Amino acid sequence: MFEEPASEAELQDAVLRAAEAGQRIRPAGSGHSFSDIALSDERMVSLRRMDGLIEADRESLRARVQPGITLNELGPALAEHGLAMENLGDIDAQVVAGAVATGTHGTGIEFKNISAQVDAMRLVVGDGSVVEVDGSDAGLLRAARVSVGALGVISELTLRCVPLFTLVRTDEPRPLADVLEDWDGLAERNHHFEFFVFPYTDTALLRTCERTSDPPEPLSARDVWIKDVLLENAGLGAACRLGRARPSLIPRINRGIARSFGREVRKDYAYSVFANQRSVRFTEMEYSVPRAAGPEAVRRVLDLVKRRELPITFPLEVRVVAQDDSFLSPAGGRDCAYIAVHQFAGMEFETYMRAVEGIMRSLDGRPHWGKRHYRTAADLAPAYPGWDDFQQVRARLDPGGRFSNDFTDRVLGPVS
Ligand SMILES: Cc1cc2nc3c(=O)[nH]c(=O)nc-3n(C[C@H](O)[C@H](O)[C@H](O)COP(=O)(O)OP(=O)(O)OC[C@H]3O[C@@H](n4cnc5c(N)ncnc54)[C@H](O)[C@@H]3O)c2cc1C
């Protein structure tokens, strides 16, 4: 059964109906996870009708929002109040509760993931009651921020914001060896730093962003369409389709793409610069490793692809994120590098991803909850110092496992 409550009261009723039917119920966001994290064979509740900005306060830099507002609705809504999210990931189609629940992140050594911007939340739990989560019970907040949807349904969030700001984003090609050599320097000199590198190539597309209070200088809608839709997405899509049809050409195709990298600068409000258009279909795995291990992780993945001649048409995306204190955060307790690997739709990905997972595990890696991975509760538990604390909160808030699904059975195990 699929329900779309329009208010917290309707949400409470939906949870109670699930309890009466003895069924499990799963909150769903906008369906932008690559795993089966949000799926349910029993009941599913979408919060897309609870999509409002309730209030925003320039003085306290706080905003109260409903869980189903998407990040691309939130950016302009906060901007009307002179506010912004301090950091975002590279798309904005997610609902805010979905991004929070999976520890969705952007890049920048001073910036934590989106869940760390949550000050408080309201959570509808298995008996239909509402639990207020705030800093008065630090353990509860540390569990509820990155919850994988396993504690209850978030019905409201209070977000810590920053004054509206402009971002100057520069893309430029650089030799991969130089980027890896200057790993710490690039991370430290730039507010936001990331890079993309295609397997079989040795050129990185470096992306750095600086925060400024200058007024934005937005591109025209036509220029954005030409650069993002026509050149970037249509060009990449065509290259991927050719690679899928003729895998032996992939190394040459990737080298051609890397040669086409050029310098580009954008200057606009942060919420529109962080987010990109992604219309080429792919699947993805992403791992966090301790930040110092980033270069080694990149070298080993590229070497793996070359050595095993794997047909990979998509780049690695490499970012840095500040540590936070959520029990299940992949960045919990350690500054990290995030290494994302992708495969084009319709191409076999498991061989690549299992091998990458082996590399990441040897580097103490933790998987992104919203992306593909093959881990289970037994081997994830030792990777998270706060694992038992999370499980205790879970047993307290959801003793009957009402909010579990096959995914949580695998990655969290039963409620105990
Ligand atoms: C093209 C693309 C680009 C991406 N880029 C990034 C990126 O830059 N950085 C990054 O970190 N990730 C990125 N992701 C991953 C994505 O941010 C996460 O998977 C995110 O959780 C998806 O949000 P969603 O709204 O689609 O949630 P869903 O996938 O629908 O759900 C995700 C989780 O949130 C839970 N949830 C949803 N609503 C609630 C609620 N109200 N209460 C409690 N739990 C809830 C669900 O139960 C589930 O556990 C990307 C994904 C795609 C497809």
Side-chain angles (χ1 to χ4, degrees):
M1 178 181 282
F2 181 74
E3 298 193 61
E4 284 187 294
S7 66
E8 186 179 81
E10 287 184 22
L11 170 61
Q12 290 176 282
D13 286 346
V15 171
L16 278 175
R17 278 193 294 279
E20 280 159 16
Q23 288 193 312
R24 307 204 285 186
I25 181 166
R26 200 67 187 145
S30 70
H32 274 70
S33 293
F34 295 92
S35 62
D36 47 356
I37 185 170
L39 303 188
S40 172
D41 289 332
E42 299 182 14
R43 286 170 185 247
M44 181 181 274
V45 66
S46 161
L47 288 304
R48 272 303 282 137
R49 290 171 69 202
M50 294 175 65
D51 62 353
L53 171 63
I54 302 166
E55 74 177 16
D57 180 22
R58 187 82 166 71
E59 286 285 295
S60 63
L61 298 175
R62 295 293 183 278
R64 285 173 55 219
V65 300
Q66 290 189 302
I69 188 167
T70 58
L71 297 176
N72 57 32
E73 294 162 344
L74 183 60
L78 287 176
E80 281 181 22
H81 299 268
L83 293 173
M85 298 288 281
E86 73 170 14
N87 199 11
L88 288 170
D90 64 11
I91 61 155
D92 57 11
Q94 309 94 323
V95 302
V96 64
V100 166
T102 54
T104 289
H105 63 89
T107 190
I109 56 169
E110 290 172 26
F111 300 98
K112 301 173 186 175
N113 65 33
I114 293 175
S115 77
Q117 298 169 49
V118 174
D119 252 9
M121 68 172 78
R122 289 170 67 81
L123 205 53
V124 175
V125 295
D127 63 2
S129 64
V130 175
V131 174
E132 300 256 11
V133 182
D134 57 30
S136 64
D137 182 341
L140 189 56
L141 187 58
R142 290 171 71 186
R145 278 182 173 148
V146 182
S147 70
V148 200
L151 300 183
V153 188
I154 299 166
S155 57
E156 186 184 311
L157 292 151
T158 302
L159 301 171
R160 189 173 39 75
C161 301
V162 296
L164 183 63
F165 64 102
T166 298
L167 213 51
V168 183
R169 184 180 91 186
T170 307
D171 288 351
E172 55 192 337
R174 285 276 187 87
L176 175 66
D178 292 359
V179 172
L180 296 181
E181 183 72 22
D182 193 19
W183 170 251
D184 285 327
L186 283 164
E188 283 159 16
R189 286 194 302 275
N190 297 286
H191 291 134
H192 305 276
F193 145 72
E194 69 179 298
F195 68 89
F196 301 85
V197 57
F198 281 80
Y200 304 107
T201 73
D202 48 20
T203 303
L205 182 66
L206 180 66
R207 170 166 290 177
T208 52
C209 293
E210 296 310 307
R211 303 159 79 93
T212 159
S213 51
D214 291 355
E217 296 168 15
L219 293 178
S220 69
R222 184 175 162 276
D223 281 353
V224 171
W225 187 84
I226 290 173
K227 283 180 197 300
D228 292 356
V229 178
L230 192 62
L231 297 179
E232 206 169 288
N233 281 293
L236 178 64
C240 288
R241 283 192 299 279
L242 178 59
R244 187 171 59 193
R246 304 270 309 275
S248 63
L249 294 181
I250 286 174
R252 264 200 282 165
I253 294 170
N254 289 3
R255 285 193 285 273
I257 294 174
R259 275 196 299 275
S260 75
F261 291 158
R263 188 169 196 276
E264 198 215 326
V265 179
R266 285 209 189 168
K267 185 174 186 182
D268 205 342
Y269 284 129
Y271 65 82
S272 62
V273 175
F274 281 132
N276 301 281
Q277 304 222 25
R278 292 267 189 267
S279 57
V280 182
R281 293 287 169 123
F282 60 91
T283 191
E284 180 173 343
M285 162 183 277
E286 187 175 34
Y287 258 86
S288 91
V289 295
R291 199 174 97 211
E296 180 183 348
V298 173
R299 285 190 192 101
R300 285 176 63 184
V301 172
L302 292 173
D303 178 59
L304 164 88
V305 176
K306 211 165 157 183
R307 203 166 19 86
R308 292 179 57 177
E309 299 182 3
L310 298 175
I312 307 302
T313 54
F314 251 77
L316 278 64
E317 183 177 10
V318 184
R319 294 179 272 188
V320 289
V321 176
Q323 63 179 287
D324 63 82
D325 67 358
S326 295
F327 296 137
L328 290 191
S329 170
R334 64 182 198 194
D335 294 333
C336 55
Y338 268 91
I339 320 294
V341 300
H342 313 79
Q343 176 62 305
F344 183 45
M347 295 181 76
E348 196 271 334
F349 56 82
E350 191 167 341
T351 306
Y352 179 39
M353 292 193 179
R354 282 195 182 273
V356 169
E357 186 162 274
I359 294 171
M360 298 303 163
R361 286 188 66 165
S362 74
L363 296 171
D364 201 12
R366 298 176 187 155
H368 188 306
W369 294 111
K371 304 192 180 179
R372 284 186 189 278
H373 67 92
Y374 303 94
R375 308 283 292 269
T376 62
D379 64 63
L380 285 166
Y384 293 82
W387 186 267
D388 292 341
D389 301 287
F390 180 83
Q391 295 291 10
Q392 279 166 21
V393 173
R394 185 180 180 212
R396 177 152 60 93
L397 295 190
D398 188 29
R402 181 79 51 220
F403 299 102
S404 55
N405 64 356
D406 289 354
F407 177 85
T408 62
D409 290 348
R410 169 168 72 92
V411 305
L412 298 178
V415 180
S416 55

